[in-house]
Every structure is written in C-alpha cells, then in structure tokens.
C-alpha cells in the first residue's frame, strides 16, 4: 500500500495547538507521508507552539505583516499555499478551524481538486459577523471539505442541516484535549517548562487567580473597552488577582494597557507559550475570555468560563454548564464573575459539569479516517 501524502496547513497559535497532536500521529504512522506548511499568520506565538511540540515545518510562508488587511492576507495565502500544493502534490490537505489560513488552504486545494479534511468542522454561531470573519471562513471550508471531523454531535448535526453528506461527517472529539493532555504530561515530566509564572504566583499568594484573555476582532473598540472596564472593576476586590496575557495586536494592547496598567491586582503579561498557558489554566479559579479554544480547554481542568462574546459557535459548553455567555456588557461581566467568586454552589455547578469536547484520542481517529477515506 502506497503511503498517502498529507499536507497539513496552519498559521496561528490556536491552529498549531490543535494540529500538533495530529502532526505527531501522522508522522509516526507508516500509512502517511506527513508534510507541514505554516503561513505564520501569527509569528512569534506560533513559533512558541512549534518549539514545544517539536514540529518543524517543511514550508514557512512567513506572511505576517503589520496592520495587514484581511483581503491582502487572503490574496497572499491563496497564491503562497497554491505554490506549495503545486510542489508537494498531496493526496489530502488538512486544515483546522476557522482562520484565513484554513479557508484559503481549503480554497487553494479546491482549485486543484485535492480533497480537504476539515478538523474541528461544523461549529456555527448562526451570525456571519459573530465571530467575524471566522463564521464565514468555516462555512466556506464546510462547502469544500470531503472529510468533516466534527468535535461533537452538535457540530455534526449543524453540518447535516446544511445538506453535507452524512457519510463524510464523523464525530472525532476535539484535538485540543489531546494537546492539553500531552502538554500536561510534559509539564509533569519537566516542571521547568512552566516555572515562568512563579513570580506572579508569589506576588498574588493567598489570592484567587482569575485568568483573562481577549482579542476577538468583533470586540475591537467598544467591546474591548467594556471588557477592560470590567477587569478594572473586578480588580477592586482584595481577595482576587487578574492575570491577563495581552494579545500582541495593537488594537488590543492600546485599550488594555491604557485602562489597566498600574493596577495592583492586575498582571498584564506577554502572551504565554503553551506550557505556561496550561499552567495559568491550572492555577486559576475561573477564566474570562472571548477565545474559542479556552471554552474547550478550561472545562477539561474543571475551571468555569465566562465567555465575553455575544454569540458562541461552541454551544455545547453552554449547554453542559461549563461555560456561560456574558457578552461585553461590563455590568454583566462583573456581576457574573462576582457570583462565581462569592457563591460556592454556583461555582461548583460549573466546575463539576461534564466537559463535552473530547477524550484525548481525536488525532488517532482522524488519522484512521484519512487512511480509509
């Protein structure tokens, strides 16, 4: 049997986290020749994941530019990824999630009639502007893909409602749980990988830690300002501290640094590499986030999530009770955070809820599907 050549494409930190377990699985499997192409839609924070995961790209497009427009990025992605596909001539192209890199990779593969495997398929919010532009990116990929690896039954059902052939839709779980289990084991074996938060842990000894992340494009402007206001108001409590890895996007940094610098109970820090982010999830009491991945990761460690968005394409967490949608109204964010901090029963109900996103074996399932499809 001839080994199948798989070209896996990603460009951002979240994609790298969710695809490195699959890259490991493919590389170790004699059924495949595994090739990796990164767009570097993110650069430094992508490289952090590649380094810890031991993934060396075969192609690096290095496309990150300051103040890059979505159309300019998409044009560069289409032509750059197309050239890689023409060179590699893969049997399958694998993309993950909802980024411009994933959408452009799927489209470039379609232009060449190369079948596409979509990892984390079927997530839908029902609003093309929330999350933006991710909702449309996912719908484009969903139209093109030949193999849809849905993380949950809910996401699989969303695809069948869009008339995707049910024979091409498979519930695999989410590879982010594979990644979190892998990195947690690595930290256990090598504690030095995650000691960089020691000073913050010492500084805030005796306080409960609230983790914060915020970077969504649809929150730029008023949404980020409201989130910053909520963090500032929560920081008035003397029994908690907020640890906020600030995204490098200037639209985020200008707001957060302007509103939160100098507050005693707030640590504005540089983006964390993956082991240190896993450590933050481990030591925090709860997470405030507008991220997608955190909605999946934190519940795996029993940490409630308040989702600072108007909609989510991950309703499973809301339905399971591990996450709550709070939007970007500062009053609501503060009230819901205080409720979890002050009401032990409310906190326990979320912390003990079942995590619906996987069991750590998603990459093996996807590899088997690539071999048999």
């Amino acid at each position: 049997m001839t080994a199948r050549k798989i070209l896996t494409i990603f460009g951002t930190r979240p994609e790298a986290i969710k695809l490195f377990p699959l890259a490991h699985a493919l590389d170790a499997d004699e059924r495949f020749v595994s090739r990796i192409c990164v767009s570097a839609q993110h650069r430094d924070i992508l490289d952090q994941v590649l380094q810890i995961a031991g993934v060396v790209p075969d192609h690096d497009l290095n496309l990150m530019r300051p103040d890059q427009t979505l159309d300019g990025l998409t044009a560069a992605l289409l032509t750059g990824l197309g050239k890689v596909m023409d060179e590699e001539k893969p049997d399958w192209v694998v993309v993950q999630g909802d980024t411009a890199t994933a959408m452009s990779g799927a489209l470039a593969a379609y232009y060449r009639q190369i079948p596409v495997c979509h990892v984390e398929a079927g997530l839908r919010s029902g609003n093309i502007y929330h999350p933006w532009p991710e909702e449309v990116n996912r719908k484009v990929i969903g139209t093109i893909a030949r193999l849809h690896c849905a993380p949950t039954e809910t996401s699989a059902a969303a695809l069948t409602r869009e008339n995707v052939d049910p024979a091409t839709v498979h519930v695999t779980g989410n590879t982010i749980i594979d990644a979190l289990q892998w990195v947690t084991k690595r930290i256990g074996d090598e504690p030095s990988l995650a000691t960089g938060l020691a000073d913050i842990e010492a500084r805030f000894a005796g306080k409960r830690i609230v983790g914060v992340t915020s970077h969504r494009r649809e929150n730029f402007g008023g949404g980020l300002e409201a989130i910053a206001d909520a963090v500032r108001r929560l920081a008035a409590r003397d029994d908690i501290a907020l640890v906020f890895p600030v995204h490098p996007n200037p639209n985020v940094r200008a707001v957060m640094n302007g509103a939160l610098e100098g507050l005693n109970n707030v640590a504005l820090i540089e983006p964390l590499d993956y082991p240190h982010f896993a450590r933050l999830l481990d030591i925090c009491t709860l997470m405030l986030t507008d991220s997608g991945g955190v909605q999946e990761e934190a519940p795996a460690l029993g940490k409630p999530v308040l989702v600072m968005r108007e909609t989510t394409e991950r309703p499973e967490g809301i339905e399971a009770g591990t996450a709550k949608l709070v939007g970007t109204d500062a009053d609501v964010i503060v009230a819901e955070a205080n409720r979890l901090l002050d009401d032990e029963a409310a906190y326990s109900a979320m912390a003990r809820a079942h995590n619906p996103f996987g069991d750590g074996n998603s990459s093996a399932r996807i590899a088997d599907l690539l071999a048999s499809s």
Side-chain angles (χ1 to χ4, degrees), residues 7-12 16 35-48 50-51 55-65 73 76-77 79-81 83-85 87-88 101:
L7 177 63
T8 303
I9 294 169
F10 53 94
T12 67
R35 305 288 282 173
I36 304 290
C37 176
V38 298
S39 69
Q41 183 179 333
H42 294 168
R43 182 72 273 174
D44 293 343
I45 55 179
L46 167 70
D47 291 343
Q48 290 172 355
L50 295 176
Q51 182 176 8
V55 173
V56 179
D58 301 288
H59 304 270
D60 188 334
L61 302 184
N62 196 29
L63 292 181
M64 184 175 178
R65 299 290 182 271
L73 172 62
L77 284 164
T79 54
L81 294 172
K83 289 177 182 178
V84 171
M85 291 178 200
E87 177 182 337
E88 291 288 355
T101 295

